[in-house]
């Protein structure tokens, strides 16, 4: 069953601006991952944050995790047109490595 | 490293025929492979979990007799959509979890777009 919910569903920003996407989930997790999908293509793994971590950085990406609120955010700084894609959060099922994906945020970065 | 391929990348078939989709881990051995389905503008839904040498575990609501999964080796899993119908048209994506790595990361294939006429 789907448990991740991202918001906003769609986000349109100008190049150079920051983009923030949020994800909420319902059950306990071991970790939360963010993926990117260009239209009609496979998924690219962006970043994984474990349940005992609160913040993680990777290049222009910053992910936070609040397990008390069962929520996470993905921040893309200094966005580029090439960042245009759909972004999904995914949570694992404890002990199984099966992922449950959120509905995704479609990000459009306007040059 | 950690590349997963899928074949074919797209397929169009007539209603009632069967279609086989291959998922290969090219440079690692995968203990477990996962199959997802994605309808247009929607998220990925896990269909089944495939472990090498054993029967696949299907998610609730996924018909195991319609979506046959075979994980014959540590680098290959196949999904066969039997007696396909237009409602089976979707984007099918596999992922693989490396055997030897202590990692929670899965690596995804590029997907196969199935269109059933």
């Amino acid at each position: 069953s789907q448990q991740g919910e991202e918001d906003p569903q769609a986000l349109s920003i100008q190049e150079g601006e920051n983009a923030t996407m949020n994800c909420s989930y319902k059950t306990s997790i071991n970790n939360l991952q963010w993926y990117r999908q260009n239209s009609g293509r496979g998924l690219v793994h962006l970043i994984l944050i474990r349940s005992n971590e609160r913040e993680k950085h990777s290049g222009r990406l910053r992910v936070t995790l609040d397990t008390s609120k069962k929520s996470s955010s993905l921040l893309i700084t200094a966005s580029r047109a090439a960042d245009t894609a759909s972004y999904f959060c995914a949570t694992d099922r404890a002990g199984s490595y099966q992922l449950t994906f959120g509905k995704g945020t479609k990000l459009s970065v306007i040059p | 490293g950690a590349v997963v391929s899928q074949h074919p990348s797209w397929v169009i078939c007539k209603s009632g025929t069967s279609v086989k989709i291959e998922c290969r881990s090219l440079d690692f051995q995968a203990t477990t492979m996962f199959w997802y389905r994605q309808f247009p503008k929607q998220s990925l839904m896990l269909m089944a979990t495939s472990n090498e040498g054993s029967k696949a575990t299907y998610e609730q609501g996924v018909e195991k007799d319609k979506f046959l999964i075979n994980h014959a080796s540590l680098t290959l899993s196949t999904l066969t959509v039997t007696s396909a119908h237009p409602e089976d048209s979707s984007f099918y994506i596999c992922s693989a979890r490396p055997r030897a790595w202590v990692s929670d990361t899965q690596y995804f294939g590029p997907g196969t777009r199935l269109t059933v006429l």
Side-chain angles (χ1 to χ4, degrees):
Chain A
S1 62
Q2 256 339 61
Q3 71 163 350
E5 297 277 344
E6 281 99 332
D7 74 86
Q9 292 187 359
L11 179 62
S12 183
I13 59 174
Q14 295 287 330
E15 200 167 29
E17 293 180 339
N18 295 340
T20 299
M21 289 159 269
N22 302 297
C23 166
S24 62
Y25 56 93
K26 297 178 182 176
T27 62
S28 296
I29 61 172
N30 287 331
N31 59 63
L32 184 144
Q33 304 181 56
W34 284 90
Y35 288 85
R36 164 191 163 138
Q37 184 181 36
N38 287 73
S39 181
R41 296 186 180 270
L43 272 70
V44 174
H45 182 260
L46 295 177
I47 196 165
L48 179 151
I49 186 165
R50 301 194 184 281
S51 59
N52 61 355
E53 297 176 310
R54 292 296 169 260
E55 187 171 313
K56 204 163 183 179
H57 298 255
S58 177
R60 294 185 294 114
L61 306 180
R62 173 178 168 254
V63 169
T64 63
L65 179 64
D66 187 335
T67 53
S68 65
K69 295 181 180 178
K70 291 186 168 59
S71 67
S72 173
S73 68
L74 170 67
L75 168 67
I76 303 174
T77 60
S79 64
R80 304 166 182 169
D83 294 329
T84 295
S86 290
Y87 292 82
F88 296 91
C89 69
T91 54
D92 68 329
R93 300 180 195 176
S96 73
Y97 303 106
Q98 293 170 327
L99 297 180
T100 300
F101 283 83
K103 294 180 179 179
T105 294
K106 186 172 183 178
L107 173 66
S108 299
V109 181
I110 303 167
Chain B
V3 177
V4 176
S5 70
Q6 281 184 240
H7 178 80
S9 56
W10 60 269
V11 57
I12 301 173
C13 69
K14 292 182 179 180
S15 186
T17 61
S18 294
V19 175
K20 180 185 283 187
I21 302 170
E22 293 184 348
C23 176
R24 292 181 186 274
S25 55
L26 297 184
D27 48 6
F28 65 95
Q29 292 183 328
T31 315
T32 307
M33 290 184 171
F34 304 90
W35 286 95
Y36 296 85
R37 179 167 57 182
Q38 184 179 32
F39 291 109
K41 298 184 180 180
Q42 294 189 26
S43 187
L44 283 75
M45 295 291 291
L46 179 65
M47 298 175 66
T49 301
S50 168
N51 292 298
E52 187 266 337
S54 63
K55 289 184 178 180
T57 304
Y58 290 82
E59 294 298 297
Q60 192 173 9
V62 178
E63 299 175 56
K64 62 180 181 181
D65 293 331
K66 181 168 186 62
F67 299 99
L68 301 178
I69 292 173
N70 182 20
H71 193 156
S73 76
L74 286 170
T75 60
L76 173 65
S77 176
T78 60
L79 168 68
T80 301
V81 183
T82 63
S83 187
H85 291 283
E87 57 265 30
D88 299 323
S89 297
S90 188
F91 194 53
Y92 292 88
I93 305 176
C94 71
S95 70
R97 181 174 174 269
R99 178 176 73 160
W101 300 0
V102 180
S103 168
D104 294 327
T105 302
Q106 295 177 22
Y107 296 92
F108 284 79
T112 296
R113 185 161 302 283
L114 170 63
T115 302
V116 185
L117 303 177

